[in-house]
Amino acid sequence: MRLGSNEKFLVTGGAGYVGAHTVHCLIAHGVSPQNIIVFDNLVHGHKEFLPDGVVFYQGDLLCKEDIRRVFLSHPIDAVFHFAAYAFVGESMACPGKYFENNLLGGIHLLEAMVQSGCRRIVFSSSCAVYGVPGDVAISEEIHPAPVSPYGESKLMFERILAWYHRIHKVSSISLRYFNAAGAGYGIGERHTPETHLIPLLMQAALGQREAFSIHGTDYNTRDGTCVRDFIHVGDLAAAHLNACAYLSDKQVCEIINLGSGEGQSVLQVIHLIQALTGSRIAARMAERRPGDAPVLIAGNQKAAHMIGWKPRRSLGDILESAWIWHTQEAGCHA
Ligand SMILES: NC(=O)c1ccc[n+]([C@@H]2O[C@H](COP(=O)([O-])OP(=O)(O)OC[C@H]3O[C@@H](n4cnc5c(N)ncnc54)[C@H](O)[C@@H]3O)[C@@H](O)[C@H]2O)c1
């Protein structure tokens, strides 16, 4: 599956972690930087993640005019929609902030697309739509039951996409990512605040954090800690290209999981990082967090069948690339 060489792509949230990776991946697959338009308000994005030559708009999806202007200035063929707030914990404290940004911002984008005749979108959804499912590999058929406003906002936007497909013939693929991790193209996880497992552990290994809290050690899992499915951000980026190419000649509204199909417990990841870095991580047992599922592992057959995607990098690749990036970020050398 290939993207057209003269097509123009809009990447909302393209200065963020996964979005910027996808921008680099597009260029690595032959798309000219001048055919990539990145739209980001830089609330959580980093302009320095972007390669030279891409067209950058600093704008906010909550401002209709900002996004309309982009479509008036460029004939966009397809959209990669990453822009969103993505902290589960924050969404539990500030639900309105999440519903406003992740839904209203997305609706402004869809309206601008429809007005300009652009009818192809790949959307960053999340395994957070599943809530707390059983400990089986989760297929897309499982009934979604989010347990946070963040997960709910992703599910609601998937449903909005279904209506835009029905009424306006907008074709979409919602990609439900599991745990994105790892680094490449000089881009790694730099979140403020940091809440993700692997960057927290890397910071602990570098001595930037005194201790790491394990939330829940009495789950019904192999060692009592939560089990997660980690997927390399470069593999995620590649899946976006496949999904977009798939949409080029199809009128569909689809949902696809993106995960490795394997689970690792928090304790296993700690041990692997200790072995990789040679650092001892002081782990502290802490209370369970409300809404944390014991096990989240992707069923990833649909991605293979529909868009010809399989993860290529292992957890070892994820941790090595993240370690290199974090040591560089910390200004020291491993
Ligand atoms: N990282 C993960 O593990 C993960 C897992 C599942 C889903 N996702 C989803 O993938 C997408 C990208 O995640 P990420 O980790 O790269 O997050 P990120 O915060 O690094 O990137 C999001 C980008 O969107 C921008 N943005 C937010 N609101 C905006 C607005 N109103 N207008 C313009 N720009 C706006 C931010 O500045 C940021 O650059 C998000 O939609 C997230 O919900 C991420």
Side-chain angles (χ1 to χ4, degrees):
M1 278 188 267
R2 288 185 65 80
L3 296 171
S5 55
N6 289 321
E7 290 185 314
K8 279 196 190 294
F9 301 98
L10 172 66
V11 187
T12 75
Y17 172 56
V18 191
H21 255 92
T22 305
V23 168
H24 282 269
C25 192
L26 281 165
I27 293 170
H29 283 79
V31 176
S32 162
Q34 69 213 23
N35 285 338
I36 302 175
I37 295 102
V38 171
F39 181 89
D40 199 302
N41 61 9
L42 297 182
V43 165
H44 291 300
H46 308 281
K47 207 172 163 200
E48 65 274 19
F49 281 175
L50 293 174
D52 291 338
V54 299
V55 182
F56 178 70
Y57 279 84
Q58 183 164 355
D60 196 322
L61 279 181
L62 289 176
C63 173
K64 271 187 200 176
E65 283 313 309
D66 280 1
I67 189 63
R68 275 187 54 188
R69 209 170 305 130
V70 174
F71 280 92
L72 286 175
S73 311
H74 303 273
I76 308 281
D77 293 288
V79 175
F80 297 97
H81 178 36
F82 296 94
Y85 291 143
F87 294 116
V88 173
E90 185 186 51
S91 82
M92 297 297 279
C94 314
K97 177 175 173 177
Y98 276 69
F99 290 127
E100 181 182 47
N101 198 45
N102 297 0
L103 296 177
L104 192 55
I107 292 168
H108 290 163
L109 170 66
L110 286 171
E111 285 296 312
M113 285 175 65
V114 169
Q115 277 171 21
S116 76
C118 174
R119 296 223 161 19
R120 208 171 5 142
I121 180 169
V122 180
F123 167 56
S124 304
S125 189
S126 166
C127 66
V129 301
Y130 292 116
V132 186
D135 63 348
V136 283
I138 303 164
S139 91
E140 294 84 351
E141 309 304 318
I142 284 184
H143 180 69
V147 290
S148 68
Y150 167 67
E152 186 71 50
S153 74
K154 291 289 175 185
L155 182 61
M156 288 168 87
F157 196 70
E158 288 182 0
R159 290 182 174 155
I160 289 171
L161 284 172
W163 285 107
Y164 274 75
H165 177 241
R166 197 157 141 186
I167 296 166
H168 291 302
K169 307 278 175 278
V170 171
S171 283
S172 65
I173 296 187
S174 295
L175 297 173
R176 292 179 175 168
Y177 317 163
F178 282 62
N179 288 63
Y185 300 114
I187 302 164
E189 289 190 78
R190 193 196 288 158
H191 305 111
T192 312
E194 191 50 78
T195 58
H196 295 72
L197 177 69
I198 291 176
L200 285 173
L201 289 170
M202 293 290 169
Q203 290 172 359
L206 281 164
Q208 295 170 337
R209 255 168 220 283
E210 265 181 30
F212 172 81
S213 300
I214 304 177
H215 293 279
T217 51
D218 57 351
Y219 287 103
N220 186 18
T221 58
R222 61 193 87 145
D223 57 27
T225 65
C226 288
V227 171
R228 293 290 177 266
D229 178 330
F230 296 95
I231 180 78
H232 194 286
V233 63
D235 284 335
L236 281 188
H240 287 74
L241 274 61
N242 289 20
C244 191
Y246 181 86
L247 288 178
S248 60
D249 59 357
K250 290 184 192 62
Q251 255 295 323
V252 293
C253 175
E254 289 288 348
I255 290 168
I256 296 178
N257 284 342
L258 293 181
S260 70
E262 287 168 19
Q264 271 83 25
S265 75
V266 172
L267 265 185
Q268 279 179 306
V269 176
I270 292 176
H271 292 146
L272 287 169
I273 292 180
Q274 289 187 150
L276 172 74
T277 65
S279 302
R280 168 128 189 77
I281 295 171
R284 207 169 32 208
M285 309 302 162
E287 290 295 300
R288 290 183 180 199
R289 284 181 303 208
D292 265 352
V295 180
L296 285 174
I297 301 174
N300 58 12
Q301 302 299 311
K302 187 171 176 184
H305 293 143
M306 185 168 277
I307 59 170
W309 176 86
K310 278 193 179 149
R312 291 176 36 226
R313 294 141 174 118
S314 65
L315 181 61
D317 297 330
I318 289 175
L319 297 180
E320 266 176 44
S321 63
W323 178 238
I324 292 168
W325 187 82
H326 279 276
T327 51
Q328 283 166 353
E329 182 85 342
C332 57
H333 300 282

